[in-house]
Amino acid sequence: MKIAHLLGVGWTSLVLLACNGQAVKTDTPAKVETEEEKVLYALGLAIAQNSLEPFKGQFSDAEIAVVMQGFADAVKGGEPIVSLQEFGPKINPMLQERLQKVQAQAAAEGEAFREKAAREEGAVQTASGLIFKELTAGTGASPKATDRVKVHYHGSLIDGTVFDSSVERGEPITFALDQVVKGWTEGLQMMKVGGKAKLTIPPELAYGPGGRAGIPANATLIFEVELLGIE
């Protein structure tokens, strides 16, 4: 049986194993102490992040228990409670419906957040929808879209969740400005070396309705960026 591209191709078989069961108790957390237990736990994280990341936070505890029961029955060779042949084709329509709800909710929340951000003192909203706010004025040159730049940055979602930060890692990063999301390409060209700015980036200038690991579908992204140099 083939499952549509909604599920990550490399993890399709594993996810299929996890979708044909009945609720189990999950009150007692599993032990994650030995090296092998940590690898097994990482396997669970990888399955979820590679195949179900856009649905993060959209499954109740009871629903997760159902998924895990199906996974356990399949791995242990137990008798399936339901037929994968019958219910497998219903997986993608269900996930698609949920994804649309996630996308719509994120789009609405992001739009409200950006409207407020655009009204902040000193904020400038460009024609593309990027909201640029200078925090510290730079004195050097401004990069071109084809330049390589060295920056320190702190990236978060509108709820404050930090998804990436060179500041927290304690090491700046260098990259080509035409190889990042459009909001970065545009926003960094509005800066000067030595300057710091806040970029509020709409999803169409970031990762759009698909999202990526750690970034939900249709997410508005907030970056505080310090332009350290142009290479």
Side-chain angles (χ1 to χ4, degrees):
M1 178 188 299
K2 293 184 178 180
I3 296 298
H5 65 279
L6 238 176
L7 300 178
V9 176
W11 299 97
T12 296
S13 59
L14 286 172
V15 175
L16 284 177
L17 290 176
C19 294
N20 64 347
Q22 193 175 63
V24 293
K25 292 183 179 180
T26 57
D27 296 337
T28 304
K31 292 192 305 179
V32 184
E33 299 172 353
T34 69
E35 186 73 11
E36 189 163 315
E37 287 168 348
K38 291 176 182 178
V39 174
L40 289 171
Y41 182 79
L43 171 61
L45 290 178
I47 292 172
Q49 290 181 359
N50 282 275
S51 299
L52 298 173
E53 180 67 24
F55 308 95
K56 189 174 182 179
Q58 300 302 311
F59 290 94
S60 68
D61 288 346
E63 289 174 327
I64 293 172
V66 172
V67 173
M68 295 311 299
Q69 179 66 64
F71 182 86
D73 287 349
V75 170
K76 292 188 293 186
E79 181 67 26
I81 296 172
V82 301
S83 167
L84 187 57
Q85 184 175 3
E86 178 182 356
F87 287 92
K90 298 180 181 181
I91 295 175
N92 272 344
M94 182 194 74
L95 294 182
Q96 184 65 54
E97 181 180 354
R98 293 193 179 208
L99 180 60
Q100 290 172 352
K101 291 180 180 179
V102 171
Q103 292 172 338
Q105 180 180 350
E109 292 175 350
E111 183 177 0
F113 183 90
R114 295 194 304 275
E115 288 177 356
K116 183 177 180 180
R119 294 195 297 268
E120 292 181 5
E121 184 178 355
V124 176
Q125 187 166 24
T126 69
S128 70
L130 172 71
I131 300 169
F132 178 92
K133 182 178 180 179
E134 186 174 73
L135 301 178
T136 302
T139 57
S142 294
K144 300 184 295 294
T146 53
D147 285 336
R148 289 180 60 82
V149 295
K150 183 178 182 179
V151 301
H152 246 326
Y153 66 91
H154 187 76
S156 61
L157 305 176
I158 63 175
D159 65 359
T161 300
V162 176
F163 58 84
D164 193 13
S165 175
S166 70
V167 175
E168 291 185 356
R169 291 192 297 272
E171 184 176 354
I173 186 171
T174 300
F175 56 82
L177 202 51
D178 59 358
Q179 295 180 2
V180 291
V181 296
K182 295 178 180 178
W184 268 69
T185 305
E186 179 180 358
L188 268 290
Q189 292 180 82
M190 299 171 69
M191 300 179 65
K192 293 182 179 180
V193 173
K196 187 175 181 179
K198 181 172 77 170
L199 308 179
T200 303
I201 304 177
E204 56 269 23
L205 300 179
Y207 297 101
R212 56 166 292 178
I215 299 177
N218 274 343
T220 291
L221 307 182
I222 304 97
F223 285 97
E224 288 195 3
V225 186
E226 181 179 7
L227 180 57
L228 301 175
I230 303 172
E231 298 185 357

